[in-house]
């Protein structure tokens, strides 16, 4: 069946470099001696450790629990002993360290008892979401937003279409393609669970037309009775068609509102890997402790896809794939367009590590030339922005203007910087502007808080002063009153004296008439 | 452990500014060859003088501004400016005309505004306009196409010594350009039919003699640039369509007083302007809608100045006037951002 598809503006047709890492089936990465499991592997708040140093843990055991709403737990990827809970280097663009749980493997890989759910359709949506949350599942496509939140449309929203994103549009990355080839049934199972949680009307599994094998296998795995509400759609291979907003546009012709969410147009989008992880959590009771990782690039001897335990150091995987271990190489986590370089090959694989790319560092970092306003960047921008204007204002630190030109609609896909003939690192300028604006907002918030505090203090001082005055006034009044009482007291004294005198007179009168007394007696 | 760190994307095209400029220069070659064919070696001499001056001026200004000299000298932009200016100058010009023009273009119009990417006006056209206003006599001495056989040395001697071979006179060699001639004669209340009959040597198959070939070959080079995606089609198409429609309208209304659209399209600097001058990215509008408005504006101004203005050809002035409007055009033609409502 030919289905109508739409286009998004711009985009790039890039050399795919996908075949290199798809020669071999998925293998399991060797169990490393030591795993480093960061407490924060997702967007939101870090998890809180529930284990102690020296404690023995089993594979799948919860190591840290969710602390806030936007947070998920992390689990032990193998059995062993907790060696440390401390700051370690993690894969992050900042290159900073972050709290991690260090787990020494005992080599036995002993599972904790797991409790699959027999019939998830009997569960309430909220209970289902809780199971998914407790399994530590985040979006495996790259951003790592806790999956259970995206399965909660809220009471008033109706989900029309649930889209499973198999469009792995960046060059070199193939972990989703391999997953779709190897576990098509599991992906569909996960999709059914998601559909139940969201009460979605229909589902789409979208993948690009360069993944023919995956498409055939998915179609085969789809049972007759399910195909009524699940469609598998092939879309043109144009970068960044795997971006949520771009994918929705291609599939439905609708645009997610600027600053909005897919839910605003009754859609929810999840990655295929997330679906598989959810199927594992529900049907087998397994938390998210492994994921597929593509290890590829010119510096890799045998590019391939591995099933990797979360916490495995990059260098262990690189070694397994025949990395030539040249310090002139660069290591990128993620794809060549949106990934970031890491400076330390010992950083661990986290839940969002889809690809480890290594190639020789380009010797001459070409010096950027001035912008010649050729407009290529605007031609390829999938968000329909004017990248050269954004660059201009970001460079001038004109943060108001840069927001007028919709900086925050930039998805940092890198198309503009890719085509720029002046080789200006455009995305870097946008990140800089975004961070500065966030920092300014934080400062403003702080300043507002400080001002509020100051005003509150002023008020308190004022109030105290008033209270003091009030107290003084009252005291004065009281004093006045008591003085008034004293004058009144003189009157009463007089009266008392008079009364006493009267009584004395009367007594004297009695003495003067003793007869009366006798009469009384 | 310190591996190298830098910001994404980690892949880039091998497209460079100097490649764009190089493509433009290659696309100019057929038109330049036609110019040499019709106007002699002087064209080449002018271009060479302009290039030497432009490179020297560029290097000097980069040095004064404490900028790296090599990357900017090799970016090709000064070269393109020099070639465009050289082509626009009459072939029989004294040496100081291209030298002065190129120096003015590079120093005043480019570097005083901040160099590559920062100049609001097309430097070549600023240089040309300055020469045209300051030295109108030298700038209007066009050789009659093909009707001479000045050798390279003859031309060189004129360029540097302003000496012509014996029994040649400047008046005998030069003539007004077709645009100029038609304009002057129309002003003398001649009809176009009379002009055609009176000076047949001016006209070729579809337009002006000689100029039509030059324009055709510049158009060819321009189409190659569009095909190679070095320039976008918006500005040339908008400009040429506007010129065609407006001139067509006046011509249909009064064929004896207004020249035909084809005459306008294929004479003077129309095609050079449409494909190589108006499309200079630095000074043109940046959005597609903006480019169309920019092109329409140039087409309109070109016709107005040619027909009623003081100069027979007006590409330079039309482009410079529209350069002024670019910031405003860009401001009002911002595209709708993805996800913004359509109204």
């Amino acid at each position: 069946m030919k289905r109508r598809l739409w286009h998004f503006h711009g985009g790039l047709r890039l050399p795919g470099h996908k075949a290199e890492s798809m020669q071999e089936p998925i293998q399991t990465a060797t169990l490393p001696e030591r795993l480093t499991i960061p407490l924060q592997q997702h967007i939101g708040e870090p998890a809180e450790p529930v284990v102690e140093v020296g404690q023995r843990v089993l594979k799948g055991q919860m190591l840290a629990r969710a602390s806030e709403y936007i947070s998920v737990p992390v689990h032990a990827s193998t059995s062993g002993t907790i060696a440390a809970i401390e700051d370690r280097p993690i894969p992050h663009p900042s290159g900073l360290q972050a709290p991690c749980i260090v787990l020494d493997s005992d080599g036995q890989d002993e599972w904790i008892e797991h409790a699959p759910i027999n019939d998830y359709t009997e569960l309430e949506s909220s209970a289902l979401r809780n199971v998914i949350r407790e399994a530590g599942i985040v979006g495996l496509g790259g951003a790592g937003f806790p999956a259970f939140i995206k399965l909660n449309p809220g009471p008033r929203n109706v989900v029309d279409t649930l889209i499973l994103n198999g469009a792995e549009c960046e060059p070199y990355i193939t972990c989703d393609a391999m997953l779709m080839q190897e576990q098509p049934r599991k992906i569909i199972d996960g999709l059914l669970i998601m559909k139940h949680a969201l009460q979605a009307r229909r589902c789409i599994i979208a993948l690009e037309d360069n993944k023919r094998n995956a498409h055939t296998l998915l179609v085969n795995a789809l049972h007759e009775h399910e195909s009524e509400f699940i469609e598998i759609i092939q879309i043109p291979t144009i970068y960044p068609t795997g971006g949520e907003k771009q994918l929705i546009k291609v599939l439905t012709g609708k645009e997610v509102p600027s600053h909005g969410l897919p839910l605003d147009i009754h859609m929810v989008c999840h990655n295929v890997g997330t679906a598989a992880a959810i199927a594992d959590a529900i049907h087998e009771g397994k938390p998210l402790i492994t994921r597929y990782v593509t290890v590829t690039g010119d510096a890799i001897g045998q590019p391939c896809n591995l099933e990797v335990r979360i916490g495995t150091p990059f260098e262990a995987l690189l070694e397994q794939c025949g990395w030539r271990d040249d310090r002139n190489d660069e290591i990128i986590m993620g794809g060549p367009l949106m990934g970031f370089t890491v400076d330390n090959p010992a950083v661990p694989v986290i839940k969002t590590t889809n690809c480890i790319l290594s190639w020789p560092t380009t010797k001459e970092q070409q010096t950027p030339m001035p912008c010649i306003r050729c407009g290529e960047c605007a031609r390829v921008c999938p968000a329909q922005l004017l990248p050269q204007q954004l660059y201009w204002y970001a460079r001038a630190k004109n943060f108001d203007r840069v927001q007028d030109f919709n900086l925050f609609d930039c998805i940092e896909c890198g198309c503009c910087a890719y085509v720029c003939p002046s080789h200006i690192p455009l995305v870097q300028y946008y990140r800089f502007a975004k961070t500065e604006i966030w920092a300014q907002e934080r400062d403003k918030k702080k300043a507002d808080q400080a001002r509020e505090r100051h005003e509150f203090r002023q008020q308190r001082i004022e109030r105290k002063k008033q209270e003091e005055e009030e107290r003084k006034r009252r005291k004065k009044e009281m004093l006045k009153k008591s003085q008034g009482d004293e004058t009144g007291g003189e009157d009463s004294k007089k009266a008392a004296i008079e009364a006493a005198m009267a009584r004395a007179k009367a007594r004297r009168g009695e003495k003067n008439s003793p007869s009366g007394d006798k009469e009384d007696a | 452990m310190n591996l190298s760190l830098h910001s994404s994307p980690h892949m880039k095209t091998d497209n460079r500014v100097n490649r764009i400029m190089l493509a433009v220069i290659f696309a100019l070659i057929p038109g330049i060859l036609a110019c040499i064919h019709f106007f002699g070696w002087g064209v080449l001499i002018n271009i060479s003088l302009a290039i030497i001056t432009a490179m020297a001026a560029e290097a000097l200004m980069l040095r004064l501004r404490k900028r790296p000299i090599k990357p900017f000298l090799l970016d090709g932009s000064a070269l393109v400016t020099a070639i465009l200016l050289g082509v626009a100058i009459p072939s029989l010009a004294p040496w100081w005309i291209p030298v002065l023009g190129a120096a003015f273009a590079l120093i005043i119009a480019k570097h005083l505004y901040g160099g590559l990417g920062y100049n609001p006006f097309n430097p070549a056209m600023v240089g040309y306009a300055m020469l045209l206003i300051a030295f109108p006599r030298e700038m209007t001495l066009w050789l009659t196409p093909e009707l001479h056989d000045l050798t390279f040395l003859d031309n060189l001697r004129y360029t540097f010594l302003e000496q012509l071979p014996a029994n040649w006179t400047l008046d005998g060699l030069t003539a007004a350009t077709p645009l100029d001639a038609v304009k002057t004669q129309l002003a003398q209340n001649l009809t176009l039919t009379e002009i055609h009959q009176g000076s047949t040597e001016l006209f070729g198959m579809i337009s002006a003699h000689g100029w039509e070939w030059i324009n055709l070959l510049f158009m060819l080079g321009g189409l190659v640039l569009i095909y190679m995606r070095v320039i976008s089609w918006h500005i040339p198409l908008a400009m040429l369509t506007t010129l065609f429609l407006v001139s067509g309208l006046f011509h249909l209304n009064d064929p004896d007083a207004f020249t035909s659209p084809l005459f306008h399209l294929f004479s003077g600097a129309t095609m050079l302007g449409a494909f190589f001058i108006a499309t200079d990215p630095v000074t043109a509008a940046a959005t597609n809608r903006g480019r169309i408005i920019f092109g329409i504006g140039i087409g309109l101004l070109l016709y107005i100045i040619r027909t009623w203005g003081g100069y027979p050809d007006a590409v330079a002035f039309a482009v410079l006037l529209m350069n002024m409007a670019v910031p405003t055009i860009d401001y009002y033609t911002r595209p709708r951002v993805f996800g913004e409502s359509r109204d």
Side-chain angles (χ1 to χ4, degrees), chain B residues 118-145:
Chain B
Y118 294 88
N119 48 301
F121 298 106
N122 187 313
M125 289 305 102
V126 173
Y128 176 81
M130 184 278 286
L131 291 175
L132 190 59
I133 294 166
F135 309 102
R137 196 182 81 92
E138 283 79 0
M139 289 299 284
T140 44
L141 282 180
W142 284 91
L143 284 174
T144 321

Coordinates of all heavy atoms in Angstrom, one line a residue, chain B residues 118-145:
Chain B
Y118 N 31.2 41.7 5.3 CA 30.7 42.8 6.0 C 30.3 44.0 5.2 O 29.7 44.9 5.7 CB 31.7 43.2 7.1 CG 31.9 42.2 8.2 CD1 32.9 41.2 8.0 CD2 31.1 42.1 9.3 CE1 33.0 40.2 9.0 CE2 31.3 41.2 10.3 CZ 32.2 40.2 10.1 OH 32.4 39.2 11.0
N119 N 30.7 44.0 3.9 CA 30.4 45.1 3.1 C 29.0 45.1 2.6 O 28.5 44.2 2.1 CB 31.4 45.1 1.9 CG 31.4 43.8 1.2 OD1 31.7 42.8 1.8 ND2 31.0 43.7 -0.1
P120 N 28.3 46.3 2.8 CA 26.9 46.3 2.4 C 26.7 46.5 0.9 O 25.7 46.1 0.4 CB 26.3 47.5 3.2 CG 27.5 48.3 3.5 CD 28.7 47.5 3.6
F121 N 27.7 47.1 0.3 CA 27.6 47.3 -1.2 C 28.5 46.4 -2.0 O 29.6 46.2 -1.5 CB 27.9 48.8 -1.5 CG 26.9 49.7 -0.8 CD1 27.3 50.4 0.3 CD2 25.6 49.8 -1.2 CE1 26.4 51.3 0.9 CE2 24.7 50.7 -0.6 CZ 25.1 51.4 0.5
N122 N 28.1 46.1 -3.1 CA 28.9 45.3 -4.0 C 30.2 46.1 -4.4 O 30.1 47.1 -5.0 CB 28.1 44.9 -5.3 CG 28.8 44.0 -6.2 OD1 30.0 44.1 -6.4 ND2 28.1 43.0 -6.6
P123 N 31.4 45.6 -4.0 CA 32.6 46.4 -4.1 C 32.9 46.7 -5.6 O 33.2 47.9 -5.9 CB 33.7 45.5 -3.6 CG 33.0 44.5 -2.7 CD 31.6 44.3 -3.3
A124 N 32.7 45.8 -6.5 CA 33.0 46.0 -7.9 C 32.1 47.1 -8.4 O 32.6 48.0 -9.2 CB 32.8 44.7 -8.7
M125 N 30.8 47.1 -8.0 CA 29.9 48.1 -8.5 C 30.2 49.5 -7.9 O 30.0 50.5 -8.5 CB 28.5 47.7 -8.3 CG 28.0 46.5 -9.1 SD 28.2 46.8 -10.9 CE 29.7 45.9 -11.3
V126 N 30.6 49.5 -6.7 CA 31.0 50.8 -6.1 C 32.2 51.4 -6.8 O 32.2 52.6 -7.2 CB 31.4 50.6 -4.6 CG1 32.0 51.9 -4.0 CG2 30.2 50.2 -3.8
G127 N 33.2 50.5 -7.2 CA 34.3 51.0 -7.9 C 33.9 51.5 -9.3 O 34.3 52.6 -9.7
Y128 N 33.0 50.7 -9.9 CA 32.5 51.1 -11.3 C 31.8 52.4 -11.2 O 32.0 53.3 -12.0 CB 31.7 50.0 -11.8 CG 31.1 50.3 -13.2 CD1 31.8 50.2 -14.3 CD2 29.7 50.8 -13.3 CE1 31.3 50.5 -15.6 CE2 29.2 51.1 -14.5 CZ 30.0 51.0 -15.7 OH 29.4 51.3 -16.9
A129 N 30.9 52.5 -10.2 CA 30.1 53.8 -10.2 C 31.0 55.0 -9.9 O 30.7 56.1 -10.5 CB 29.0 53.6 -9.0
M130 N 32.0 54.8 -9.0 CA 32.9 55.9 -8.8 C 33.5 56.4 -10.1 O 33.6 57.6 -10.4 CB 33.9 55.5 -7.7 CG 34.9 56.5 -7.3 SD 36.3 56.8 -8.4 CE 37.2 55.3 -8.1
L131 N 34.0 55.4 -10.8 CA 34.7 55.7 -12.1 C 33.8 56.4 -13.1 O 34.2 57.4 -13.7 CB 35.3 54.4 -12.7 CG 36.5 53.8 -12.0 CD1 36.8 52.4 -12.7 CD2 37.7 54.7 -11.9
L132 N 32.6 55.9 -13.2 CA 31.6 56.4 -14.1 C 31.3 57.9 -13.8 O 31.1 58.7 -14.7 CB 30.4 55.6 -14.1 CG 29.4 55.8 -15.2 CD1 30.0 55.6 -16.6 CD2 28.1 54.9 -15.1
I133 N 31.2 58.2 -12.5 CA 30.8 59.5 -12.1 C 32.0 60.5 -12.2 O 31.9 61.6 -12.7 CB 30.3 59.5 -10.7 CG1 28.9 58.8 -10.6 CG2 30.1 60.9 -10.1 CD1 28.5 58.4 -9.2
A134 N 33.2 59.9 -11.8 CA 34.4 60.8 -11.8 C 35.0 61.0 -13.2 O 35.6 62.0 -13.5 CB 35.4 60.3 -10.8
F135 N 35.0 59.9 -14.0 CA 35.7 60.0 -15.3 C 34.7 59.6 -16.4 O 35.0 58.5 -17.1 CB 36.9 59.1 -15.2 CG 37.8 59.3 -14.1 CD1 37.8 58.5 -13.0 CD2 38.6 60.5 -14.0 CE1 38.6 58.7 -11.9 CE2 39.4 60.7 -12.9 CZ 39.4 59.9 -11.8
P136 N 33.7 60.3 -16.6 CA 32.7 59.9 -17.6 C 33.3 59.7 -19.0 O 32.8 58.9 -19.8 CB 31.6 61.0 -17.6 CG 32.3 62.1 -16.9 CD 33.4 61.6 -16.0
R137 N 34.3 60.6 -19.4 CA 34.8 60.5 -20.7 C 35.5 59.1 -20.9 O 35.2 58.4 -21.9 CB 35.7 61.6 -21.0 CG 36.0 61.8 -22.5 CD 37.0 62.9 -22.8 NE 38.4 62.4 -22.6 CZ 39.1 61.9 -23.6 NH1 38.7 61.8 -24.8 NH2 40.4 61.5 -23.3
E138 N 36.4 58.8 -20.0 CA 37.2 57.5 -20.2 C 36.2 56.3 -20.1 O 36.5 55.3 -20.7 CB 38.2 57.4 -19.1 CG 39.5 58.3 -19.3 CD 39.3 59.8 -19.0 OE1 38.1 60.1 -18.5 OE2 40.2 60.5 -19.1
M139 N 35.2 56.5 -19.3 CA 34.3 55.3 -19.0 C 33.3 55.1 -20.1 O 32.5 54.2 -20.1 CB 33.6 55.5 -17.7 CG 34.6 55.3 -16.5 SD 35.3 53.7 -16.4 CE 34.0 52.7 -15.9
T140 N 33.2 56.0 -21.1 CA 32.3 55.8 -22.2 C 32.9 55.6 -23.5 O 32.2 55.5 -24.5 CB 31.3 57.0 -22.3 OG1 32.0 58.2 -22.2 CG2 30.2 56.9 -21.2
L141 N 34.2 55.4 -23.5 CA 34.9 55.2 -24.8 C 34.9 53.8 -25.2 O 35.9 53.1 -25.0 CB 36.4 55.8 -24.7 CG 36.6 57.3 -24.8 CD1 38.0 57.6 -24.6 CD2 36.0 57.8 -26.1
W142 N 33.8 53.3 -25.7 CA 33.8 51.9 -26.0 C 34.2 51.7 -27.5 O 33.8 52.5 -28.4 CB 32.4 51.3 -25.9 CG 32.0 51.1 -24.4 CD1 31.5 51.9 -23.6 CD2 32.3 49.9 -23.7 NE1 31.4 51.4 -22.3 CE2 31.9 50.1 -22.4 CE3 32.9 48.6 -24.0 CZ2 32.0 49.1 -21.4 CZ3 33.0 47.7 -23.0 CH2 32.5 47.9 -21.7
L143 N 35.0 50.7 -27.8 CA 35.4 50.4 -29.2 C 34.1 49.9 -29.9 O 33.3 49.3 -29.3 CB 36.4 49.3 -29.2 CG 37.9 49.7 -28.9 CD1 38.7 48.5 -28.8 CD2 38.4 50.7 -29.9
T144 N 34.1 50.2 -31.2 CA 33.0 49.7 -32.0 C 33.3 48.2 -32.1 O 34.4 47.8 -32.5 CB 33.0 50.3 -33.4 OG1 33.3 51.7 -33.2 CG2 31.7 50.1 -34.0
P145 N 32.4 47.3 -31.8 CA 32.7 45.9 -31.8 C 33.2 45.4 -33.2 O 32.6 45.7 -34.2 CB 31.3 45.3 -31.5 CG 30.5 46.3 -30.9 CD 31.0 47.6 -31.4

